[in-house]
Amino acid sequence: MSINFISEISPQQFKLNQNLLRARLLRLLRLLKQEGRTVSVVFLDDKEMARYNQTYRHKEGPTNVLSFPAEVADELGDILVSADTAWREAGEKGVTLHQHLTWLLIHGLLHLLGYDHELSEAEAERMQDKEAELYQAVQHIHSGGAMPQLAVNVDHIATIREARGGAEPDPVLAAGICELAGARGIVVHLREDRRHIQERDVRVLRQTVKTRLNLEMAAVKEIVEIALDVKPDLVTLVPEKRQELTTEGGLDILGNEKKIRKTIGKMSEAGIPVSLFIDPDLEQVKAAVEVGAAYVELHTGRYADAKDHEEQEREFRLIEQAAEAAYAAGLRVNAGHGLNYLNVGRVAGLPVIEELSIGHALIARAAFVGLEQAVREMQNCIDLAG
Ligand code: PXP
């Protein structure tokens, strides 16, 4: 069985997670007992799709998906998908691009196998039922192996140290233990009021962290200069208020565009990629692309703090949509805030998220079971989401 993906759209326009679509397509072929047959999927823009629609169906304008059965037995055929129409329809339906693409691939596959909703009402119903059944079976398939990585925020180790103003516990030592237990990144927030992490911690961590050092910071002159000197692997810009207990909301990029653009410019001259910590809001995603961010970190706090199931579902959908929109626009996507052992799984299961930044819940658990065990347990929750 082989699957060919051909993309005739610009990667700047839409970034498609081909690993995810391939994994789902493989399972679909198996469910449809079509192992051993080849299928080709071609992603086009609306203009090109309109040309095919006119030539082969004598219909004007683009459509979402067209199927062309093959004439040789070991080939199933070609499925053409307009990424422009898929994107538009996903927005109208309130689903993510990859969810809708999954539907379109199922629809295209069923056409290749002889289903035709245009034949009769009964046939349309049969096709719809089959689509729903197949969608149920593949919707949770992840891209396979590429689970988000765990980045541990060690600020609260420093919070305990600062409670007595001494040297212990040491966030640098904590970072080493987290890495040995499997964490793929270390995060610290150097706040202007230095309530936990100190400048020295960041400098020593730069020397000792073997994975990736992500420095959270406000876009203010003093901290920008420290970051330019220390050169972390990633800078995450966050809004910062002195009175807050923890970072409360995401950045308002539009309201701070000049400052953020300037900071991104300085960091990129020094070769430091910048992530913007934003609420899961499509306007902020768009603004992040416009100011030239490399990453966004989606604020999961409202999902984590939801009071009931309905609110949690609503907030999760927002994260899912923002993650897909950011990914499709070419941004890399991280997420974090308020994640714990119970709520991390759903976010970890989103196919486009690279890294989860987790602090409070993990450090709190470490007080009871030790830091190494707390990291391993969190890693396990993330892996189970796959
Ligand atoms: N991401 C950002 C940008 C944060 O400010 C924080 C809190 O320091 C986190 C992630 C981690 O949040 P928590 O401590 O709730 O896991």
Side-chain angles (χ1 to χ4, degrees):
M1 150 169 48
S2 90
I3 295 171
N4 304 317
F5 275 112
I6 303 157
S7 182
E8 296 185 356
I9 49 172
S10 127
Q12 274 83 43
Q13 223 179 334
F14 290 104
K15 200 163 159 223
L16 302 177
N17 188 337
Q18 291 196 5
N19 285 343
L20 171 73
L21 297 174
R22 186 182 299 278
R24 290 183 175 172
L25 211 45
L26 277 171
R27 176 73 61 85
L28 287 167
L29 288 173
R30 247 177 240 126
L31 290 168
L32 292 163
K33 304 201 178 358
Q34 298 300 316
E35 294 106 321
R37 299 183 81 191
T38 298
V39 63
S40 298
V41 180
V42 187
F43 295 103
L44 312 162
D45 60 15
D46 265 354
K47 203 167 143 216
E48 197 58 5
M49 186 55 124
R51 216 170 54 72
Y52 279 98
N53 210 16
Q54 179 62 254
T55 311
Y56 294 97
R57 295 172 75 221
H58 310 295
K59 292 200 173 170
E60 241 185 74
T63 183
N64 47 16
V65 59
L66 283 179
S67 295
F68 294 94
E71 274 148 24
V72 249
D74 57 351
E75 287 185 21
L76 197 53
D78 301 339
I79 302 174
L80 274 53
V81 178
S82 164
D84 289 331
T85 302
W87 175 253
R88 224 177 19 254
E89 289 179 346
E92 286 159 13
K93 288 174 193 291
V95 299
T96 70
L97 176 64
H98 286 82
Q99 284 171 335
H100 192 48
L101 286 172
T102 304
W103 268 108
L104 295 179
L105 290 178
I106 293 172
H107 191 80
L109 270 180
L110 290 181
H111 269 305
L112 290 181
L113 291 169
Y115 284 75
D116 189 351
H117 53 95
E118 286 176 353
L119 283 182
S120 66
E121 251 178 57
E123 178 63 9
E125 216 170 286
R126 185 172 86 99
M127 189 165 174
Q128 265 172 21
D129 289 350
K130 192 70 185 168
E131 281 172 351
E133 175 198 319
L134 292 170
Y135 186 78
Q136 279 292 329
V138 299
Q139 63 169 328
H140 296 301
I141 293 180
H142 199 272
S143 46
M147 296 306 293
Q149 302 201 318
L150 170 61
V152 180
N153 179 315
V154 293
D155 290 353
H156 292 315
I157 297 290
T159 304
I160 301 173
R161 176 190 63 191
E162 297 305 309
R164 287 292 169 95
E168 286 183 335
D170 181 2
V172 176
L173 185 56
I177 293 171
C178 292
E179 287 187 304
L180 286 172
R184 303 306 302 153
I186 299 298
V187 189
V188 286
H189 185 173
L190 184 63
R191 283 182 167 268
E192 286 182 271
D193 64 10
R194 305 292 198 277
R195 68 173 74 159
H196 38 53
I197 292 293
Q198 307 299 309
E199 183 178 334
R200 177 182 177 278
D201 297 324
V202 184
R203 292 187 181 280
V204 180
L205 283 166
R206 174 65 300 182
Q207 303 297 315
T208 59
V209 166
K210 302 276 188 303
T211 54
R212 265 160 50 97
L213 179 62
N214 176 355
L215 178 62
E216 276 180 31
M217 52 177 271
V220 294
K221 190 165 180 285
E222 181 215 356
I223 313 278
V224 167
E225 276 165 15
I226 295 171
L228 289 171
D229 193 36
V230 170
K231 292 196 174 44
D233 299 295
L234 181 69
V235 150
T236 299
L237 296 181
V238 299
E240 198 173 297
K241 292 192 216 126
R242 288 199 179 235
Q243 324 79 284
E244 69 192 356
L245 288 176
T246 177
T247 317
E248 282 170 357
L251 274 175
D252 173 15
I253 304 177
L254 292 169
N256 296 281
E257 197 181 330
K258 204 166 145 211
K259 192 167 65 175
I260 293 172
R261 204 184 272 280
K262 194 167 147 206
T263 307
I264 292 177
K266 283 191 178 166
M267 294 298 163
S268 63
E269 272 170 32
I272 308 167
V274 174
S275 176
L276 302 179
F277 182 57
I278 56 169
D279 288 328
D281 173 325
L282 297 181
E283 287 305 309
Q284 295 295 343
V285 169
K286 220 162 105 198
V289 177
E290 274 158 22
V291 296
Y295 290 74
V296 282
E297 180 181 329
L298 297 176
H299 194 327
T300 50
R302 286 208 308 261
Y303 156 77
D305 295 340
K307 298 284 174 294
D308 54 38
H309 179 68
E310 251 175 45
E311 188 184 338
Q312 193 179 51
E313 276 305 299
R314 224 175 20 250
E315 292 301 333
F316 180 73
R317 296 284 159 235
L318 294 177
I319 295 169
E320 194 175 34
Q321 281 170 17
E324 290 245 1
Y327 182 86
L331 292 165
R332 298 174 73 174
V333 188
N334 296 337
H337 211 287
L339 295 177
N340 61 33
Y341 295 85
L342 298 176
N343 64 26
V344 72
R346 287 189 84 189
V347 180
L350 292 174
V352 298
I353 293 190
E354 284 187 34
E355 187 173 286
L356 297 172
S357 168
I358 305 181
H360 187 266
L362 194 152
I363 302 301
R365 177 116 183 104
F368 298 118
V369 301
L371 189 51
E372 183 178 339
Q373 171 81 359
V375 171
R376 288 193 199 286
E377 287 177 7
M378 188 59 84
Q379 187 65 58
N380 204 24
C381 291
I382 293 174
D383 292 343
L384 283 174

